[in-house]
Amino acid sequence: MKSVFSQRQLLHTPSKELSDGEMRPAVELPARAEYVRDRILEVGLGEIVEPSTFGRAPLERVHTTDYLDFMDGFHAMHEAAGRSGEAFPFCWPTKGLRCDVTPRHIDGLLGRYSFDAGTPIGPMSWEAAKISADTALTAARMIAEGAPVAFALCRPPGHHAMTDRFGGYCFLNNAAIAAQYLRDQGAERVTILDVDYHHGNGTQQIFYERGDVQFLSLHADPAEEYPYFLGYADEIGEGEGEGANYNWPMPLGTDWAGWGASLDEACKRAASFGTDTLVVSLGLDPFERDPISKFKLKSDDFTRIGARIRKLGLPTLFVMEGGYAIDALGVNCVNVLTGFEGA
Ligand SMILES: [Zn+2]
């Protein structure tokens, strides 16, 4: 299978993040993508191609123009404010505050267009995020043109990014942008299967009232784990989207026995939706040695994930999301892809 990747996605170089009440070394590092790229080359998975530039139009199909304008202009605003280093929001328009005003101050705007303090913005972060979205779009175009499978080696990840808010290391929702692009290219029904350890709150929010894009997410129980405020089992979609959203929150410590059973249920939901194209939000953080996660999947289990997904018999776009056990990321990610190809 072909993969898509650009070195320019490594321009986003966060140095620290707010964790356990301290500023600690960031975990969403450029080396994550390099380990995956190196493993693709090592096993001879297939050609790695550079992403094309798609411009702003496909981003606007998912994100609001004011959010994209804010991000486009953020670095200049940051410099004009006399600031250097990384930007962190710290004040948000939660319930009881006004959500219908857009402040002029940079910290007000940072709060308006984010939902957490976990996503440092450096000088090249937005550039890397746009190239990451182009990576997903280039791989999606391969699927639209008839490829049975493609892998978008996206970094930074995307599934936490909402229509108009960044967060959870994510700026642009790569999987959602790809899914919408596939719809626009003629796919009637698209399923997004999110296997990241954390709930894909952004993807759920984007498609929550849509009946043409199904969202299925396997993740740690949000009562115990980030993002805490979305990802519960009773969120089934609204309006035309009712019945097109399913969450499988699982207890901390879940291993393949429980996780694989949930995957099986999700695959049955995808099959009964009548989907014609599958997008997999491929997080590798359910891994037992992941430093920020608490599931117990082993490297061989990732091969099983690929094989189970292949059984659906659908054109499949894999989009990389999280995963922070950096030295194991290449093996685990490529195990999913070879598991798919070998099944
Ligand atoms: Zn994650």
Side-chain angles (χ1 to χ4, degrees):
M1 85 175 68
K2 283 187 181 175
S3 301
V4 185
F5 176 65
S6 166
Q7 286 281 122
R8 292 169 66 222
Q9 292 179 95
L10 310 183
L11 293 170
H12 171 53
T13 54
S15 65
K16 55 192 185 302
E17 63 181 54
L18 188 59
S19 173
D20 297 346
E22 294 178 36
M23 294 309 291
R24 294 200 170 154
V27 300
E28 200 291 283
L29 296 169
R32 297 177 59 248
E34 294 178 299
Y35 271 93
V36 176
R37 177 203 57 199
D38 292 350
R39 182 66 178 171
I40 289 169
L41 296 172
E42 190 182 339
V43 306
L45 183 74
E47 190 184 351
I48 302 177
V49 304
E50 284 281 325
S52 306
T53 302
F54 284 75
R56 195 158 134 154
L59 310 184
E60 288 180 348
R61 297 284 291 140
V62 162
H63 296 283
T64 62
T65 54
D66 60 321
Y67 173 66
L68 296 170
D69 287 345
F70 166 71
M71 292 304 295
D72 277 337
F74 179 75
H75 183 56
M77 185 192 306
H78 190 65
E79 288 198 321
R83 298 180 179 191
S84 58
E86 295 167 343
F88 287 85
F90 63 88
C91 178
W92 293 275
T94 58
K95 194 170 182 184
L97 297 177
R98 285 184 60 174
C99 296
D100 63 331
V101 293
T102 300
R104 278 190 296 275
H105 192 274
I106 185 169
D107 289 322
L109 287 165
L110 278 168
R112 163 63 188 85
Y113 291 115
S114 69
F115 68 90
D116 72 9
T119 315
I121 311 178
M124 297 304 287
S125 299
W126 183 235
E127 183 67 14
K130 286 190 286 188
I131 297 163
S132 192
D134 278 335
T135 292
L137 285 162
T138 302
R141 186 173 61 194
M142 291 175 183
I143 300 289
E145 290 175 352
V149 60
F151 173 50
L153 207 184
C154 290
R155 190 261 157 197
H159 73 148
H160 294 302
M162 302 165 64
T163 48
D164 61 351
R165 294 178 197 276
F166 65 85
Y169 311 147
C170 303
F171 301 98
L172 290 167
N173 196 312
N174 304 314
I177 291 165
Q180 183 61 50
Y181 173 85
L182 287 162
R183 281 284 293 112
D184 293 341
Q185 296 301 308
E188 298 274 331
R189 286 161 95 81
V190 176
T191 291
I192 302 174
L193 172 63
D194 189 323
V195 301
D196 191 279
Y197 172 78
H198 304 95
H199 178 246
N201 62 289
T203 316
Q204 173 170 313
Q205 179 259 327
I206 288 164
F207 294 113
Y208 204 59
E209 295 177 26
R210 294 267 297 267
D212 56 335
V213 179
Q214 182 188 45
F215 180 63
L216 310 170
S217 184
L218 281 62
H219 52 268
D221 184 350
E224 298 285 350
E225 186 55 273
Y226 183 91
Y228 308 112
F229 302 104
L230 210 64
Y232 294 84
D234 62 350
E235 297 155 14
I236 57 162
E238 280 177 9
E240 289 183 8
E242 191 173 332
N245 192 97
Y246 285 95
N247 289 319
W248 283 266
M250 289 174 270
L252 307 187
T254 296
D255 62 8
W256 176 257
W259 201 95
S262 295
L263 176 64
D264 219 42
E265 288 179 24
C267 286
K268 285 173 185 160
R269 286 272 178 204
S272 63
F273 185 67
T275 192
D276 48 18
T277 307
L278 179 67
V279 176
V280 179
S281 263
L282 183 54
L284 291 316
D285 42 10
F287 182 49
E288 58 181 349
R289 285 200 290 107
D290 193 280
I292 66 167
S293 307
K294 295 184 176 64
F295 279 175
K296 298 292 176 199
L297 297 199
K298 300 179 182 305
S299 288
D300 287 347
D301 295 332
F302 289 92
T303 309
R304 295 191 176 105
I305 294 173
R308 179 64 188 88
I309 290 171
R310 175 68 178 270
K311 276 196 200 168
L312 286 168
L314 293 166
T316 302
L317 169 63
F318 289 97
V319 177
M320 195 164 93
E321 301 285 359
Y324 308 98
I326 291 185
D327 61 333
L329 208 54
V331 168
N332 292 344
C333 183
V334 175
N335 275 3
V336 176
L337 306 176
T338 55
F340 182 95
E341 287 212 308

